[in-house]
Amino acid sequence: MKTTGWVIAGTVIAGALLSMGASAQPTGTRAALTRHAASNGPPVVIELFTAQGCGSCIEANAAVERAAGDPGVIALTYGVDYWDYLGWTDTFAQPKFSERQRAYRSALRLRGVSTPEVVIDGRRQMSGARAAELEAAIGEEASRLNWPPQIEFRETGDRVGVGSGRAPAGGAEVIAVTYTPGPQVVQVRTGENRGQSVRHINVVRDIKRLGDWRGRPVLFHLPHATEGEAVVVLVQSKDSRQIIGAAAQD
């Protein structure tokens, strides 16, 4: 099945509005996402950097999981390893995920990295623990005008095409993020969250750079995803780290 990241959201939300009737009007983030999807805009990508050994991360995990339920949002959870020194080794963390967070720190000109941290479309960041602020930020990003390249997965499932468009200054790269859809629960035995069940949504398993995108159509081979895994493709500015296009494979 051929899939683009913004057609799906528009179809789902349009159907929901029809079923609600003309008198019912959504508000807040839902309204913003509806307007954006109706104009064939791309989904909003929220990336959560979290750790099982971080006491303040549980609330952020829950806030991102709620946001992930919106059809206009792609939510991804990265486990970072720099909390392991407190006595609990994060079972999902990889050094490359911490490196991705540090790349955002540099691009966004932040003084340092922190957890929990949510990066929205590579453009802005905040603590994921503040659910109301996160919802408002997602709504604002959904309302932003954008003309992304079309992203289309081939029916064979092993390749993805990125269409034409305006490439950012410095160029862009295409990234494949492999993740496990849905919730994952880990029983933490030591550290700040000792004895607690820590719940994550859409846990990232791997991230791979597929190649460059310079504004012309190009076809890439996708990494192999094992059973139960899915892939999100991001088109991301090399310099600013802003995400200019995204789509999730069925």
Side-chain angles (χ1 to χ4, degrees):
M1 178 178 180
K2 297 182 179 180
T3 306
T4 56
W6 50 94
V7 173
I8 294 176
T11 302
V12 173
I13 295 176
L17 288 175
L18 287 173
S19 65
M20 290 168 62
S23 61
Q25 296 296 323
T27 60
T29 303
R30 301 290 177 173
L33 290 171
T34 298
R35 290 193 299 270
H36 198 54
S39 64
N40 292 327
V44 176
V45 179
I46 57 175
E47 298 176 272
L48 169 64
F49 296 91
T50 185
Q52 294 161 8
C54 163
S56 61
C57 287
I58 294 178
E59 185 179 354
N61 293 358
V64 169
E65 183 170 356
R66 288 193 293 272
D70 198 301
V73 169
I74 293 176
L76 299 167
T77 296
Y78 299 84
V80 296
D81 57 2
Y82 50 81
W83 281 85
D84 291 356
Y85 77 96
L86 291 179
W88 176 257
T89 300
D90 194 293
T91 60
F92 298 141
Q94 294 186 41
K96 67 174 70 176
F97 302 158
S98 300
E99 291 171 8
R100 181 167 178 80
Q101 186 184 20
R102 285 191 287 269
Y104 279 131
R105 176 194 61 78
S106 178
L108 296 172
R109 299 181 180 179
L110 304 174
R111 302 182 77 176
V113 296
S114 61
T115 47
E117 181 180 39
V118 172
V119 178
I120 304 173
D121 275 349
R123 295 175 177 272
R124 58 196 295 185
Q125 66 84 38
M126 62 176 51
S127 170
R130 295 191 288 268
E133 292 182 21
L134 174 60
E135 181 178 343
I138 293 172
E140 291 171 7
E141 187 63 21
S143 299
R144 184 180 56 81
L145 294 178
N146 193 16
W147 292 271
Q150 185 175 12
I151 300 173
E152 187 177 79
F153 294 94
R154 295 299 187 256
E155 293 180 355
T156 54
D158 60 346
R159 292 180 298 171
V160 63
V162 179
S164 60
R166 179 179 294 179
E173 59 185 359
V174 180
I175 297 169
V177 182
T178 303
Y179 71 102
T180 302
Q184 303 285 312
V185 179
V186 175
Q187 302 294 327
V188 177
R189 296 189 296 275
T190 59
E192 286 190 359
N193 291 326
R194 179 176 57 187
Q196 297 195 59
S197 299
V198 179
R199 183 180 171 105
H200 309 69
I201 191 71
N202 298 347
V203 173
V204 174
R205 302 298 184 174
D206 195 16
I207 183 167
K208 182 178 181 181
R209 183 181 183 279
L210 301 183
D212 291 337
W213 180 73
R214 299 182 176 89
R216 294 183 178 181
V218 61
L219 190 64
F220 298 99
H221 286 280
L222 287 170
H224 175 71
T226 62
E227 185 175 356
E229 294 181 342
V231 176
V232 165
V233 168
L234 308 176
V235 181
Q236 188 163 27
S237 169
K238 292 181 180 180
D239 290 343
S240 71
R241 307 310 298 160
Q242 293 178 2
I243 294 173
I244 59 177
Q249 185 180 33
D250 279 350

